[in-house]
Amino acid sequence: MPASIQKRPISPSWGEIAKKAQDHRDASIALLDPPLPEIAELPLNSTPVPKTILTAEEVAITEADPVGLVSQLASGTLTSVQVTEAFLRRAGLAQKLTNCVTELLPVASLERATYLDSYIKEHGKPIGPLHGLPISVKEHIGMKGLTLNAGFIAWHDRTADQNALILDILYAAGAVFYVRTTQPQTLMHLETSSNFYGETVNPFNRTLTSGGSSGGEGAIIGMRGSCLGIGTDIGGSIRSPAANNGVYGLRPTSYRLPLSGLSATMLGQEQIVPVIGPLSTSLGGVKLFMKTLIDAQPWLQEPSLLPFPWKTASQIPTDASGNKTLKIAVLYDDGVVRPHPPVLRALKTVAEKLARVQGVQVTEWKPYKHAEAWTIISSLYFCDGGKEESEAIEASGEPWRPLSKFIIKENENVKRHSVREVWDWTVKREEYRTEYARLWGDVDVILCPVGPGAAPPLNCARYWGYTAQWNLLDYPALIAPITKVDPEIDLADTSYKPRNPKDAYNHDLYSPEKYANAPVSLQLVGRRYEDEKVVEAMEYMMEKVGAPFTEFV
Amino acid sequence: MPASIQKRPISPSWGEIAKKAQDHRDASIALLDPPLPEIAELPLNSTPVPKTILTAEEVAITEADPVGLVSQLASGTLTSVQVTEAFLRRAGLAQKLTNCVTELLPVASLERATYLDSYIKEHGKPIGPLHGLPISVKEHIGMKGLTLNAGFIAWHDRTADQNALILDILYAAGAVFYVRTTQPQTLMHLETSSNFYGETVNPFNRTLTSGGSSGGEGAIIGMRGSCLGIGTDIGGSIRSPAANNGVYGLRPTSYRLPLSGLSATMLGQEQIVPVIGPLSTSLGGVKLFMKTLIDAQPWLQEPSLLPFPWKTASQIPTDASGNKTLKIAVLYDDGVVRPHPPVLRALKTVAEKLARVQGVQVTEWKPYKHAEAWTIISSLYFCDGGKEESEAIEASGEPWRPLSKFIIKENENVKRHSVREVWDWTVKREEYRTEYARLWGDVDVILCPVGPGAAPPLNCARYWGYTAQWNLLDYPALIAPITKVDPEIDLADTSYKPRNPKDAYNHDLYSPEKYANAPVSLQLVGRRYEDEKVVEAMEYMMEKVGAPFTEFV
């Protein structure tokens, strides 16, 4: 191919495309009436700002529990227009402060809210269990007629022919879609950094990441610009942003919630199944989301899904007198990368409090070959050697973001496999899953870190082990906020001798000042398909130990 | 590589290995005491022979329903030694008549039966729900210390380190393993033809096939040398032999029964999941098998399995008065290959009788792109281009059996795919599954042929569409015997104009005389995971229409 063709300039350039996307986003926010003020100086901690700008009613609505909101919407105490307007305004502020939005949908959402308000007036009852509730949506979840770029500039002109099935079901249940949120290039970062929008930052500390790949969702919910949002997770992409932003997030077991209508690379890959799931300001929001979707019997439309109901009866065992008993195994350290002091403090505090709860038995979980687990899962992520991602990046001339390069180009396990090699890795995956399942014994849930620290500085989220472990095993895993990094208490462990380069990298990242104020969250993991039990156990645990131990908003 | 190395003679030769396997089998039968008579002239129809050789008690035991047997075993009316001896003898005869056995296990099984008899004496109760029941097992299901060759001569010296999980569970429930059965080279035929043993023939007509790949099971159960056996199915391998031999057989939905510990090619392949399931002389046997295995919670040992219970509550809808209602859609012809007259007669007869049953609604099921379905599934079967099968065949120098050549070498869809191509075919599979699921509407079950005819002449089972269709969709599919080919009634349709070469091949196969006396069976199919409903609906249907319409033993 002659050099003149090889190097011909792409028109429009990737930069022009990105500028257009940003302009579109800004124009969608400019539609708000009254307009939002510009924020001249962006503070380190963005979370107090909305309260200084919004009305008291807007603050009250946006900081309410989603379960309370649907109840008020159903009874008519609140209108959907009121609620949607409040969230639109706070979402707009969240964008200005953390860069988490790809577009607001004020016209469509207010039209929908108006319809729902008239519906309830006419019929005297809500249209469904989510009547009038605004829900935020990650960009790569198809919304009819809107972009579907999955973070690739080259895909900027792809649009959805129809809604993703999950949106159709939530819509039928009464949801209002009002904002779409950011994601990283490739969707395969534990941060949110793209050439469309740059980086989504952490609401609590803008030098830190909001996490990813559902980092737009994490930041907007952390900012209370949303109370319930939809993310996706193949290695930690719901849980890292939930944890980094002090909110709840569930990675359900695979094939429980509808995945059809998403844009991503590697479609058709089933060795490590991506999942869709909720991030929310409350556990009630997580449950409401799961139950609404599963009650709609999505398996009739998407036959890969499992026809399990969402169990509402208690899944926690009881003793002879009917008292709940719970055996919680605590994993402090996966044996590969030691968590930072604030994470270990959170784990120890919770474990100590749990040990004093009647009926709760706390044991320690010994990690079983977690380094090998990473080798298996990362050998199964990009079985074409990352060809599809490379092509999608390079087609527009956009540069590789550092964490795209890290996970694809600098990852020793990324190889172009033959079909036989994929089968061999699948056999190893299944052997590992079998070994792990047989270690469970009578443990109910595992309590563990979400990552090797709180939200790291930008472009430093390089260790996936604490979340990807459960994707490999396909276990349900739920995040809850526990505390924040306190530089007074969470001193660096200067005597620690790292075990390996990954451990050293993580150890060197930490200083109490850098991480100050970052949320510290924990993860609760259950056996495959025991999603309901994990949610119930987390609720029980949080109540019994009095967590979270601090306020986040 | 020099020609001298390329062509060096293999020692022992494949023929010597096969001879050794046959000698081992014959020696295992020769252990029976009193010895079985030789059968000098093999009749066309083998089924009447056992009654002329066995004692009345042996006949009564081996022709009893497995549910009745476990009840008699549990109450002590029959001992396990009695029952095992009877089945060993009839299995030995089945071998002599149809060539369906790889080895009898008289020593181990009688030792086990003796133990179980002493157990019940000592404890006054059975050891489990299968106490003392003999179960037959297809060879490639690992049995500790025994061969595990999957039909490849080159694998003749592979043995199982441990029992397959399914055997461990059945054993714990009280089963007695007493015979292992034949399978074809590659396991990928709808017949049972290998270089170890030659062809397993049909008990009702030795010029016809027993079906396959679980054709050893089909023939032995058709001969009543077993009342309950274990087969596997990735394209029809439980259903073809069940149908050809006039017995029941269930292909359950994937991931309901434990698969670990099987020997086969393509291990780690998950695009089209093989399943394990029962063949039995009764629907009660099928239910007993499913319930026993699922009640044991095999998902705790094999975490790919789904933690569904085996539902015992009725799954058939009822009307306002509580009467059962059933909407049965009849698929007469898949639009690709028209079934032979006896199959169409069986369908029409059953459909007409069903239409007269109160509460049953009979409609016609229009096939939806069944030719495309075959393209998809056969593109996903051998994604390495059949490399593993070719190597396993050629390593010993054994010749390709005609149907191995047909399905791998002469199959236009067998290609060496890249990983991306596998993903693309998987997307097509999922799209097709989605389209099909959305066509179901309020249909409860589909009644359809099991194949394009009754058991065909040897080496002629070249059309997989009627069974592989449901593997592609992963729907539960159950076989029941309905009638037999009657040359007086089932005249050839000489006016029929075939639509395509496959249709012509099948049409030309038929003549009433060739197929005389072959069992004609039908298949009932349900939505994914509705295994219990399919079994219940079949039971209901058979009772209401008074099927089977003839005796098979």
Side-chain angles (χ1 to χ4, degrees):
Chain A
M1 198 186 283
S4 60
I5 290 180
Q6 254 182 334
K7 299 223 164 178
R8 92 193 141 159
I10 291 150
S11 177
S13 72
W14 73 263
E16 287 162 341
I17 293 167
K19 176 69 169 50
K20 206 174 142 196
Q22 293 163 26
D23 289 348
H24 170 78
R25 173 199 64 201
D26 294 345
S28 75
I29 297 174
L31 291 174
L32 295 180
D33 181 27
L36 294 173
E38 283 311 307
I39 296 164
E41 248 183 271
L42 293 170
L44 188 65
N45 179 1
S46 304
T47 57
V49 178
K51 284 193 226 277
T52 67
I53 295 173
L54 301 176
T55 65
E57 187 195 89
E58 286 165 349
V59 170
I61 288 171
T62 52
E63 297 186 3
D65 184 293
V67 176
L69 283 178
V70 293
S71 154
Q72 289 186 277
L73 285 159
S75 67
T77 322
L78 286 173
T79 68
S80 183
V81 167
Q82 261 180 305
V83 174
T84 303
E85 278 182 335
F87 276 109
L88 280 166
R89 296 185 67 73
R90 194 152 180 163
L93 287 175
Q95 163 54 30
K96 291 174 186 285
L97 289 157
T98 66
N99 193 28
C100 56
V101 166
T102 69
E103 60 184 322
L104 284 193
L105 307 170
V107 178
S109 64
L110 288 172
E111 192 180 297
R112 166 78 171 152
T114 304
Y115 167 75
L116 291 169
D117 288 339
S118 70
Y119 181 95
I120 213 165
K121 257 192 207 144
E122 191 182 333
H123 295 84
K125 61 173 189 184
I127 204 166
L130 300 180
H131 184 98
L133 188 72
I135 288 182
S136 51
V137 185
K138 191 178 180 181
E139 195 269 354
H140 79 124
I141 299 165
M143 212 179 274
K144 191 175 173 179
L146 303 183
T147 66
L148 201 56
N149 61 50
F152 295 110
I153 298 278
W155 294 8
H156 70 98
D157 53 1
R158 294 192 182 183
T159 54
D161 293 338
Q162 53 185 358
N163 283 338
L165 178 57
I166 195 166
L167 298 190
D168 274 343
I169 296 173
L170 294 170
Y171 189 89
V176 176
F177 303 120
Y178 69 107
V179 64
R180 307 178 74 219
T181 59
T182 54
Q183 65 212 351
Q185 183 188 51
T186 75
L187 293 165
M188 296 294 283
H189 304 186
L190 292 183
E191 301 196 16
T192 296
S193 147
S194 76
N195 289 314
F196 279 107
Y197 308 106
E199 283 138 347
T200 303
V201 300
N202 193 296
F204 295 85
N205 182 331
R206 73 173 50 262
T207 67
L208 307 177
T209 177
S210 68
S213 67
S214 313
E217 285 300 318
I220 202 170
I221 299 173
M223 288 295 299
R224 300 298 186 264
S226 167
C227 63
L228 181 58
I230 318 177
T232 50
D233 190 320
I234 197 170
S237 283
I238 287 172
R239 291 162 291 156
S240 132
N244 290 2
N245 299 285
V247 305
Y248 297 85
L250 174 65
R251 187 211 94 90
T253 309
S254 62
Y255 299 120
R256 293 209 68 180
L257 298 185
L259 261 190
S260 58
L262 270 64
S263 171
T265 53
M266 298 185 274
L267 293 179
Q269 180 280 114
E270 294 182 322
Q271 273 63 43
I272 301 295
V273 180
V275 299
I276 200 161
L279 294 92
S280 180
T281 51
S282 80
L283 272 180
V286 167
K287 283 196 283 187
L288 179 64
F289 183 92
M290 295 299 293
K291 184 169 182 335
T292 300
L293 285 164
I294 292 176
D295 281 355
Q297 302 189 292
W299 49 85
L300 297 179
Q301 298 299 315
E302 190 174 312
S304 60
L305 303 182
L306 299 169
F308 291 121
W310 179 258
K311 299 185 196 90
T312 49
S314 176
Q315 302 295 309
I316 297 183
T318 49
D319 63 17
S321 325
N323 301 312
K324 286 187 179 177
T325 66
L326 206 52
K327 185 162 180 181
I328 302 180
V330 181
L331 171 77
Y332 288 96
D333 179 331
D334 71 357
V336 186
V337 172
R338 183 161 182 80
H340 291 161
V343 173
L344 293 174
R345 170 170 65 89
L347 272 171
K348 275 182 202 143
T349 310
V350 171
E352 279 165 19
K353 286 178 190 277
L354 280 172
R356 290 195 291 268
V357 176
Q358 179 96 34
V360 172
Q361 190 187 343
V362 177
T363 61
E364 194 170 330
W365 186 261
K366 298 220 162 38
Y368 177 74
K369 298 187 182 173
H370 284 220
E372 285 85 337
W374 173 250
T375 303
I376 297 170
I377 194 169
S378 60
S379 297
L380 285 167
Y381 274 143
F382 304 98
C383 289
D384 66 347
K387 184 166 177 281
E388 201 178 346
E389 290 75 15
S390 299
E391 286 173 0
I393 291 172
E394 287 158 13
S396 69
E398 68 169 312
W400 283 73
R401 305 295 295 192
L403 291 181
S404 307
K405 204 184 279 180
F406 158 74
I407 198 65
I408 297 175
K409 291 193 162 180
E410 297 162 3
N411 181 343
E412 63 182 0
N413 299 321
V414 174
K415 287 169 198 151
R416 190 162 185 175
H417 293 314
S418 69
V419 167
R420 179 67 260 171
E421 285 165 333
V422 174
W423 291 345
D424 289 342
W425 282 109
T426 305
V427 168
K428 282 181 197 152
R429 184 206 68 195
E430 218 44 39
E431 285 170 355
Y432 184 74
R433 285 183 178 177
T434 300
E435 290 161 14
Y436 221 93
R438 293 181 183 187
L439 290 172
W440 264 87
D442 61 350
V443 164
D444 289 299
V445 280
I446 295 176
L447 179 67
C448 60
V450 193
L458 295 170
N459 294 312
C460 295
R462 296 164 74 96
Y463 187 66
W464 294 30
Y466 285 98
T467 46
Q469 174 70 23
W470 314 117
N471 296 81
L472 177 66
L473 293 171
D474 195 23
Y475 288 172
L478 175 63
I479 307 306
I482 303 296
T483 185
K484 290 186 194 167
V485 175
D486 182 343
E488 305 277 310
I489 311 174
D490 298 317
L491 309 180
D493 179 358
T494 51
S495 69
Y496 183 69
K497 300 269 171 290
R499 309 152 178 155
N500 56 56
K502 288 179 182 180
D503 197 23
Y505 178 86
N506 185 62
H507 179 71
D508 292 347
L509 271 185
Y510 187 68
S511 79
E513 298 70 31
K514 252 196 302 188
Y515 282 79
N517 203 39
V520 179
S521 304
L522 291 178
Q523 180 169 219
L524 203 63
V525 174
R527 271 185 187 273
R528 203 172 186 190
Y529 304 114
E530 294 193 340
D531 305 70
E532 293 91 335
K533 185 176 182 177
V534 168
V535 175
E536 187 187 359
M538 180 70 96
E539 201 164 31
Y540 188 71
M541 183 187 96
M542 296 292 278
E543 183 203 319
K544 291 293 179 189
V545 307
F549 304 135
T550 182
E551 300 236 320
F552 289 85
V553 175
Chain B
M1 197 185 283
S4 61
I5 291 182
Q6 256 182 332
K7 299 223 165 178
R8 93 192 139 158
I10 290 150
S11 176
S13 73
W14 73 262
E16 287 162 342
I17 293 167
K19 176 70 170 49
K20 207 175 141 195
Q22 293 163 27
D23 289 347
H24 170 77
R25 175 199 63 202
D26 294 344
S28 76
I29 297 173
L31 291 173
L32 295 180
D33 182 27
L36 294 173
E38 282 313 306
I39 297 164
E41 249 183 271
L42 293 170
L44 188 66
N45 179 1
S46 304
T47 57
V49 177
K51 286 192 224 278
T52 67
I53 296 173
L54 301 176
T55 66
E57 186 195 90
E58 286 165 348
V59 170
I61 287 172
T62 52
E63 296 186 4
D65 184 293
V67 176
L69 283 178
V70 292
S71 154
Q72 289 186 278
L73 284 158
S75 69
T77 322
L78 285 173
T79 67
S80 183
V81 167
Q82 261 179 306
V83 174
T84 304
E85 278 182 337
F87 276 108
L88 280 166
R89 295 184 67 72
R90 193 151 181 164
L93 287 175
Q95 163 55 29
K96 290 174 187 286
L97 289 156
T98 66
N99 193 27
C100 58
V101 166
T102 69
E103 59 186 322
L104 284 192
L105 306 169
V107 178
S109 64
L110 288 172
E111 192 180 297
R112 166 76 171 154
T114 304
Y115 167 76
L116 290 168
D117 288 340
S118 71
Y119 180 96
I120 213 165
K121 257 192 207 146
E122 191 182 334
H123 296 84
K125 60 173 189 183
I127 204 166
L130 300 180
H131 184 99
L133 187 72
I135 289 182
S136 51
V137 185
K138 191 176 179 183
E139 195 269 355
H140 79 124
I141 299 165
M143 212 178 274
K144 191 174 173 180
L146 303 183
T147 65
L148 200 56
N149 61 50
F152 296 111
I153 298 277
W155 294 8
H156 71 98
D157 53 1
R158 294 192 183 182
T159 55
D161 293 338
Q162 52 185 358
N163 282 339
L165 178 56
I166 196 167
L167 298 190
D168 275 343
I169 296 173
L170 294 171
Y171 189 90
V176 177
F177 303 120
Y178 69 108
V179 64
R180 306 178 75 219
T181 59
T182 53
Q183 65 212 350
Q185 183 189 52
T186 75
L187 294 164
M188 296 294 283
H189 304 185
L190 292 184
E191 301 197 15
T192 297
S193 145
S194 76
N195 289 315
F196 279 108
Y197 308 107
E199 283 138 345
T200 302
V201 301
N202 193 295
F204 296 83
N205 182 332
R206 72 172 51 261
T207 68
L208 307 177
T209 176
S210 69
S213 68
S214 313
E217 286 300 318
I220 201 171
I221 299 174
M223 289 295 299
R224 300 299 186 264
S226 166
C227 63
L228 181 58
I230 318 178
T232 51
D233 191 319
I234 196 171
S237 284
I238 287 172
R239 291 162 292 157
S240 132
N244 290 2
N245 298 286
V247 305
Y248 297 86
L250 174 65
R251 187 213 93 91
T253 310
S254 62
Y255 299 121
R256 294 207 69 180
L257 297 185
L259 261 190
S260 59
L262 270 63
S263 172
T265 53
M266 299 185 275
L267 293 179
Q269 180 280 112
E270 294 182 322
Q271 273 64 41
I272 302 296
V273 179
V275 299
I276 200 163
L279 294 93
S280 180
T281 51
S282 80
L283 272 180
V286 168
K287 283 197 283 188
L288 179 64
F289 184 91
M290 294 301 293
K291 184 169 183 334
T292 301
L293 284 163
I294 292 178
D295 281 355
Q297 302 189 292
W299 49 84
L300 298 179
Q301 299 300 315
E302 191 173 312
S304 60
L305 303 182
L306 299 169
F308 292 121
W310 179 258
K311 299 186 196 86
T312 49
S314 176
Q315 302 295 308
I316 297 183
T318 50
D319 64 16
S321 325
N323 300 313
K324 286 188 180 177
T325 68
L326 206 52
K327 185 162 178 180
I328 302 180
V330 181
L331 171 78
Y332 288 96
D333 179 332
D334 71 357
V336 187
V337 172
R338 183 159 182 82
H340 290 162
V343 173
L344 293 174
R345 170 171 64 90
L347 272 171
K348 276 183 201 144
T349 310
V350 171
E352 279 165 20
K353 287 177 188 278
L354 279 171
R356 291 195 289 270
V357 176
Q358 177 98 35
V360 171
Q361 191 187 343
V362 177
T363 62
E364 193 169 332
W365 186 260
K366 296 220 164 37
Y368 178 74
K369 297 186 183 176
H370 284 220
E372 286 86 336
W374 173 249
T375 304
I376 297 171
I377 195 169
S378 62
S379 296
L380 284 167
Y381 274 144
F382 304 98
C383 290
D384 67 346
K387 183 166 177 281
E388 201 178 346
E389 290 74 14
S390 299
E391 286 173 0
I393 291 173
E394 287 158 13
S396 70
E398 66 169 312
W400 283 72
R401 305 295 294 192
L403 291 180
S404 307
K405 205 184 279 180
F406 159 74
I407 198 66
I408 297 175
K409 291 193 162 180
E410 298 162 3
N411 181 342
E412 62 182 359
N413 300 320
V414 173
K415 288 169 196 150
R416 190 163 184 173
H417 293 314
S418 69
V419 167
R420 178 68 261 171
E421 286 165 332
V422 174
W423 292 344
D424 290 341
W425 281 110
T426 306
V427 168
K428 282 180 198 153
R429 183 205 69 195
E430 217 45 39
E431 285 169 355
Y432 184 74
R433 284 183 178 177
T434 300
E435 290 160 15
Y436 220 94
R438 293 180 182 188
L439 290 173
W440 264 87
D442 61 350
V443 164
D444 290 299
V445 281
I446 295 176
L447 179 67
C448 59
V450 193
L458 295 171
N459 293 312
C460 296
R462 295 164 75 97
Y463 187 66
W464 294 31
Y466 285 97
T467 45
Q469 174 71 22
W470 316 116
N471 296 81
L472 177 66
L473 293 170
D474 195 22
Y475 288 172
L478 176 63
I479 307 307
I482 303 294
T483 184
K484 289 186 196 168
V485 175
D486 182 343
E488 305 276 309
I489 312 175
D490 298 318
L491 308 180
D493 179 359
T494 51
S495 68
Y496 182 68
K497 299 270 171 289
R499 309 152 179 155
N500 58 55
K502 287 178 182 182
D503 196 25
Y505 178 86
N506 186 63
H507 178 71
D508 292 347
L509 270 185
Y510 187 69
S511 80
E513 298 69 33
K514 251 196 303 190
Y515 282 79
N517 203 40
V520 179
S521 304
L522 291 178
Q523 181 170 218
L524 204 62
V525 174
R527 271 185 186 274
R528 203 171 186 190
Y529 304 116
E530 294 193 339
D531 306 70
E532 293 91 335
K533 184 176 182 177
V534 169
V535 175
E536 187 188 357
M538 180 71 97
E539 203 164 27
Y540 188 72
M541 182 187 96
M542 297 292 278
E543 185 203 318
K544 291 291 177 188
V545 306
F549 304 134
T550 182
E551 301 237 318
F552 289 85
V553 175

